[in-house]
Amino acid sequence: MALFSDDDTAHYQTRSSKNMTCKARGDMSKLLPVTSFFLGAALTAALVFLNATVDVNWRPSAMASWGNGAQPPPKPKAKPFAELAEVLKNASMEDGTVIMTSINRAYAAPGSLLDLFLESFRLGEGTAHLLDHVLIVAVDPGALRRCRSVHRHCYLLRRSPGAVDYSDEKHFMTKDYLDMMWGRNRFQQTILELGFNFLFTDIDIMWFRNPLRHIAITSDIAIASDVFNGDPESMGNLPNGGFLYVRAANRTVDFYRRWRRARRRFPEGSNEQEILGRAQGELSLRAGVRMQFLDTAHCGGFCQLSGDMGRVCTLHANCCTGLANKVHDLRNVLKDWKNYTSAPPEDRRRGGFRWTRPGRCIH
């Protein structure tokens, strides 16, 4: 299984955006250049004052939201997070987005999930350059050493004295597993508090195309679904936190705080994904965030396997437990992808390519 992964999907697999129009008449048209100049100057000054950045992910609704809690959240005290902030800055895209995953010693071992994860980016269509923006969070020194030998952006998540050692595989729903998952949740909030958007991806997700193009610019949170019901806004979709995009804003930080507080209302031993699935409507409404559930045709996995290799962006070894099982079946996924991409264009257009059944994961 992947560190901070959501192998719990096997447990839950049976649950099922005016234009503004202005008109000028007569001599008023002569004033338009002057008006435009002053409007432009005013907007520029406002942007400088607000330290805002206009980029491809900027949306008009963001301007209406300034002052009502939508601005990037205040950054936490710099000293404890100075190293993390620097690593995030080095790995981030122009809009401040970081692709983030996490590993431990077991998943970082040669031939294990880390190697498969990195290989998928190199084999994918237009994904190799995205590796420049992938931050790998290591939870033990061994994983950090291995990361630094194969990748550029690595960060060690240091443990406090007496904390759980995450270097070995953590089995689904054990106490260490739950502690690990809720620890991941709090770390993601810290990324938002530092002012960075993130796309968290489990290490057992293969990247074949850029999934960011399927995330709406109006979405505060976009999350994968184990089983997609066809409506990207439906709270009836079952979320999978192993693939999660969050935009840095006060409201998304508030969402995370509410998410963790909700833990008290559920039975002991509930993991963060189960609680999100049961409370996501309430949490998104109260925090004022817009959630998007991603189509499994683009961002899918073993739970609901995409049948069209011409559309798939990412493929997750969800609905599967056990590190060895994941490694075995994901190797077949990479073989299938190589077979597809090496085929003549006319064969690819005709379709008919299928994934090998994940035999060790799905019985």
Side-chain angles (χ1 to χ4, degrees):
M1 80 186 206
L3 182 73
F4 296 158
S5 77
D6 294 280
D7 289 332
D8 41 355
T9 54
H11 180 69
Y12 304 110
Q13 113 183 56
T14 56
R15 293 194 318 138
S16 337
S17 151
K18 308 174 173 175
N19 293 325
M20 296 176 60
T21 322
C22 299
K23 295 182 179 180
R25 295 181 175 86
D27 292 340
M28 286 300 293
S29 62
K30 300 177 183 179
L31 297 176
L32 288 177
V34 177
T35 304
S36 298
F37 171 81
F38 283 107
L39 284 173
L43 180 57
T44 300
L47 289 173
V48 171
F49 175 75
L50 291 166
N51 194 26
T53 302
V54 179
D55 53 46
V56 294
N57 282 322
W58 180 84
R59 60 190 189 276
S61 60
M63 178 175 286
S65 300
W66 281 337
N68 71 354
Q71 65 272 20
K75 298 184 179 181
K77 292 182 179 181
K79 189 173 181 180
F81 300 102
E83 180 186 359
L84 176 58
E86 185 64 22
V87 173
L88 290 166
K89 179 182 177 181
N90 292 336
S92 64
M93 304 175 188
E94 290 186 1
D95 70 336
T97 298
V98 175
I99 301 169
M100 180 174 63
T101 191
S102 54
I103 57 171
N104 65 4
R105 183 177 58 198
Y107 311 143
S112 192
L113 291 173
L114 176 59
D115 286 351
L116 299 179
F117 178 77
L118 296 176
E119 184 179 2
S120 72
F121 279 84
R122 300 182 185 113
L123 293 173
E125 297 180 345
T127 52
H129 75 283
L130 293 175
L131 285 172
D132 292 337
H133 306 293
V134 173
L135 171 61
I136 299 177
V137 179
V139 298
D140 61 81
L144 180 66
R145 287 191 296 270
R146 169 67 174 152
C147 177
R148 286 177 171 170
S149 72
V150 297
H151 189 64
R152 176 181 175 188
H153 304 297
C154 305
Y155 175 76
L156 177 61
L157 186 62
R158 294 176 176 84
R159 297 187 297 125
S160 58
V164 176
D165 181 359
Y166 295 128
S167 60
D168 296 321
E169 179 182 3
K170 298 304 175 186
H171 295 285
F172 173 58
M173 294 305 289
T174 61
K175 182 181 183 303
D176 285 355
Y177 174 88
L178 293 171
D179 289 344
M180 181 174 68
M181 299 305 293
W182 284 107
R184 178 185 83 176
N185 185 277
R186 183 61 185 90
F187 183 73
Q188 290 175 348
Q189 180 180 324
T190 300
I191 304 300
L192 299 175
E193 290 170 341
L194 288 168
F196 292 89
N197 317 314
F198 69 79
L199 197 170
F200 180 85
T201 169
D202 273 342
I203 197 71
D204 61 341
I205 295 180
M206 304 294 98
W207 283 57
F208 299 128
R209 295 184 179 91
N210 189 348
L212 287 165
R213 62 186 181 180
H214 295 292
I215 297 176
I217 61 174
T218 54
S219 298
D220 296 305
I221 297 174
I223 190 167
S225 311
D226 283 338
V227 179
F228 182 62
N229 68 12
D231 182 355
E233 296 184 351
S234 170
M235 294 298 162
N237 285 298
L238 187 63
N240 188 305
F243 193 84
L244 173 66
Y245 169 85
V246 187
R247 190 186 306 276
N250 281 342
R251 57 176 174 257
T252 52
V253 171
D254 184 47
F255 181 94
Y256 265 77
R257 289 171 178 155
R258 293 176 181 275
W259 186 356
R260 284 200 316 285
R261 286 203 298 268
R263 186 180 184 183
R264 300 193 294 263
R265 311 196 324 249
F266 291 85
E268 185 177 355
S270 299
N271 69 9
E272 90 301 342
Q273 181 169 288
E274 179 184 8
I275 291 174
L276 178 62
R278 297 173 65 178
Q280 57 199 9
E282 170 199 343
L283 295 176
S284 58
L285 180 63
R286 292 184 179 276
V289 305
R290 181 170 181 175
M291 290 187 67
Q292 174 191 356
F293 297 89
L294 299 169
D295 192 333
T296 51
H298 303 130
C299 302
F302 291 167
C303 295
Q304 191 174 39
L305 201 58
S306 172
D308 188 351
M309 290 191 185
R311 299 175 64 192
V312 67
C313 293
T314 61
L315 195 151
H316 190 180
N318 54 9
C319 288
C320 180
T321 59
L323 175 58
N325 295 332
K326 288 176 179 282
V327 169
H328 177 273
D329 285 354
L330 287 176
R331 282 177 179 159
N332 286 333
V333 165
L334 291 182
K335 290 178 183 177
D336 293 340
W337 179 256
K338 290 177 183 177
N339 182 53
Y340 168 75
T341 55
S342 64
E346 57 271 20
D347 290 349
R348 294 175 59 176
R349 285 193 294 269
R350 280 196 297 267
F353 293 87
R354 293 292 182 268
W355 303 107
T356 299
R357 179 177 176 82
R360 289 197 182 179
C361 289
I362 307 297
H363 300 284

